[in-house]
Amino acid sequence: MIDKQPSCDDPIEPELLPVAVALQRMQQQVEPITDSIDVPLRDSLHHVLATDIISPIQVPAYTNSAMDGYAINSADLPVADTEVSLKVLDTAWAGKPVDAVLKRGEAVRIMTGGMMPKGTDTVVIQEHVQVDDDHILIDGTTSAGRNVRQAGEDINRGDLVLAAGTLVNPAELGLIASLGIDTVAVKRRLKVAFFSTGDELRALETHAGKDLGPGEIFDSNRHTLFALLSRLGVELIDYGVVQDTEQATSEAIERATREADLVITSGGVSAGQADFVSKAIAKLGELTFWKLAMRPGRPLACGIVNGCRFFGLPGNPVAVMVTFYEFVQPTIRAMMGCTTAEPQLFSVKAAQSIRKVPGRIEYQRGVVEVNSSGEQTVRTTGKQGAGRLSSMCLANCLIVLSAECDGVSPGDLVQVRPFFGLV
Ligand code: AMP
Ligand code: MG
């Protein structure tokens, strides 16, 4: 009888490392970069604040109307079921305040954002008044202080608005602009080098549109990595395709780790005879090789070479994406000194049964959709091979099935990681 070695075909391999443990170990090793640079506000998008943003002003800067209507003194509001007529003196447009100090019985037409005139504290919306020439008739339905934004109600001068470590997304960018700040200190961009390994790979740079020879495939992982990394605001160094020899792999790793803060490769990390990445890392620096309790993405090589962090991702295209999201992205954010929390998982009802044996976390490609009863459910995209990148394109989420999960029945709650964030 053949004495079989442990493999990714086994449901349970005793030495597999749980994903959570691997993540924790990885996070412990990360040292955030400390260098920062001053950049124009718009260039700070997707970067991490190096210093706190303290407000130099109060927001709103002045008390103003939240609606189009009439600014009045609440003392003029009539009791319920009665009406009162007020004289309209002037119009306060946004950016064009009126000088008048209102007396009892007077009102000012005011637009949203218009500065509240002296002597007023309430806005009656235009839909709730009856206009009669230069007078308005109001009733008692508006309460005192309604529809008014008080000066400083959002932010006070000296308030800590955004803490160092915050990732700048569209809302943060707008908020900083609202304080009149046009230059911000951000952590310098991380340099990330990446390359593909594999004798079967043909690079688009030289082979796009050409016929592939027997056993050849186009290198797609480098382009996926380019896209994944581009969203993280890092500086990219693309090293192309590296052949499956120990020398070529070692040379590429040696060069890349001297230039970058982080090096990412794909392929060549399994236990196959053409897998030189782990060997090269072990020779050049420190290697941590993990057989992870996850599918796809079982083999993952991590390490440090020339003081540079290294990730050897598996070769299968879906495994590249899943291991990137699970391990590389949080590591890059931590290296950037980012304290903004990673996106949450959500629970959604399964629309179908999903086969699964306990032992590893599985990341299945899923589609969250609303069924005919208006209920949110999730289904898989069908066949789940780690080489089918099209399954990622059909999906709008990853269905994350825990290591313990022994299958899903229709109606069970499952966890999903949506692909699209709003900001
Ligand atoms: P490996 O880990 O090198 O054994 O690769 C596992 C599988 O992923 C093989 O089928 C490879 O052909 C495929 N693969 C490896 N690198 C790439 C790449 N850069 N682009 C597309 N597929 C790849
Ligand atoms: Mg290979």
Side-chain angles (χ1 to χ4, degrees):
M1 200 171 84
I2 299 169
D3 182 17
K4 289 187 177 148
Q5 305 286 311
S7 78
C8 57
D9 223 24
D10 304 332
I12 298 174
E13 285 180 75
E15 81 277 26
L16 286 184
L17 187 68
V19 169
V21 176
L23 266 173
Q24 207 182 7
R25 284 192 199 166
M26 198 168 285
Q27 295 288 350
Q28 280 166 356
Q29 295 169 358
V30 171
E31 277 178 37
I33 52 166
T34 49
D35 314 347
S36 71
I37 45 166
D38 286 343
V39 294
L41 176 61
R42 287 189 178 185
D43 292 350
S44 72
L45 185 64
H46 300 147
H47 288 260
V48 174
L49 293 177
T51 54
D52 294 342
I53 300 282
I54 308 287
S55 182
I57 58 167
Q58 58 174 5
V59 181
Y62 54 91
T63 300
N64 66 87
S65 177
M67 302 288 274
D68 288 345
Y70 293 83
I72 63 154
N73 183 332
S74 57
D76 278 334
L77 284 166
V79 292
D81 298 335
T82 63
E83 291 164 358
V84 69
S85 174
L86 303 174
K87 181 163 198 283
V88 181
L89 298 185
D90 202 347
T91 300
W93 303 90
K96 290 191 189 118
V98 300
D99 291 333
V101 180
L102 269 67
K103 297 192 289 291
R104 294 286 305 272
E106 293 176 341
V108 157
R109 174 104 173 95
I110 194 163
M111 302 304 161
T112 305
M115 185 165 164
M116 292 291 283
K118 290 208 175 70
T120 69
D121 59 7
T122 301
V123 171
V124 182
I125 64 172
Q126 59 191 16
E127 293 81 357
H128 290 181
V129 308
Q130 193 178 308
V131 182
D132 181 12
D133 202 12
D134 62 348
H135 278 71
I136 50 166
L137 203 58
I138 61 170
D139 63 17
T141 50
T142 303
S143 51
R146 273 300 296 275
N147 307 315
V148 176
R149 299 188 283 223
Q150 297 298 329
E153 77 174 20
D154 191 8
I155 298 165
N156 261 311
R157 191 176 286 120
D159 276 358
L160 169 66
V161 179
L162 296 167
T166 302
L167 188 62
V168 179
N169 278 320
E172 286 75 17
L173 203 117
L175 184 57
I176 296 168
S178 76
L179 305 176
I181 297 172
D182 69 345
T183 305
V184 287
V186 293
K187 293 285 180 73
R188 77 157 168 82
R189 300 208 303 168
L190 278 187
K191 277 192 196 163
V192 182
F194 58 109
F195 60 88
S196 296
T197 70
D199 286 343
E200 75 280 29
L201 303 177
R202 292 294 166 261
L204 291 190
E205 291 86 338
T206 49
H207 282 74
K210 293 191 184 158
D211 288 341
L212 290 169
E216 293 177 351
I217 61 170
F218 290 115
D219 167 23
S220 63
N221 287 346
R222 211 156 35 91
H223 302 280
T224 312
L225 281 172
F226 159 83
L228 290 164
L229 289 164
S230 293
R231 294 168 140 198
L232 298 181
V234 298
E235 194 180 316
L236 301 179
I237 315 171
D238 184 343
Y239 275 99
V241 174
V242 171
Q243 296 303 298
D244 279 329
T245 65
E246 196 166 343
Q247 194 187 344
T249 310
S250 294
E251 278 172 11
I253 292 174
E254 178 69 29
R255 232 174 81 206
T257 51
R258 289 202 183 278
E259 276 194 46
D261 298 300
L262 176 69
V263 173
I264 304 170
T265 65
S266 71
V269 288
S270 344
Q273 284 176 357
D275 293 338
F276 296 106
V277 172
S278 308
K279 282 184 203 135
I281 298 294
K283 264 198 186 156
L284 297 169
E286 279 169 53
L287 169 76
T288 319
F289 180 75
W290 286 327
K291 280 186 192 165
L292 295 168
M294 68 189 283
R295 192 200 308 264
R298 172 174 166 273
L300 184 72
C302 306
I304 298 186
V305 177
N306 297 322
C308 168
R309 294 188 68 86
F310 180 91
F311 277 104
L313 306 183
N316 275 311
V318 179
V320 167
M321 294 195 77
V322 169
T323 50
F324 186 93
Y325 286 130
E326 281 301 306
F327 293 97
V328 184
Q329 184 159 309
T331 301
I332 288 179
R333 295 251 203 251
M335 287 174 79
M336 290 162 81
C338 177
T339 52
T340 299
E342 287 290 319
Q344 300 278 308
L345 298 179
F346 295 93
S347 292
V348 180
K349 265 188 190 173
Q352 63 181 104
S353 56
I354 305 174
R355 281 180 51 193
K356 156 97 171 48
V357 286
R360 302 175 204 183
I361 292 195
E362 272 188 36
Y363 299 81
Q364 300 216 356
R365 274 68 73 204
V367 181
V368 172
E369 57 199 1
V370 176
N371 67 16
S372 51
S373 331
E375 227 183 355
Q376 229 173 22
T377 60
V378 65
R379 62 176 168 84
T380 71
T381 55
K383 291 226 167 71
Q384 297 286 317
R388 287 175 184 258
L389 200 49
S390 59
S391 68
M392 286 296 281
C393 301
L394 293 171
N396 63 14
C397 70
L398 286 173
I399 303 173
V400 184
L401 303 174
S402 71
E404 300 75 40
C405 169
D406 60 355
V408 174
S409 305
D412 285 356
L413 282 178
V414 291
Q415 294 213 293
V416 301
R417 187 187 288 290
F419 282 174
F420 301 109
L422 192 58
V423 288

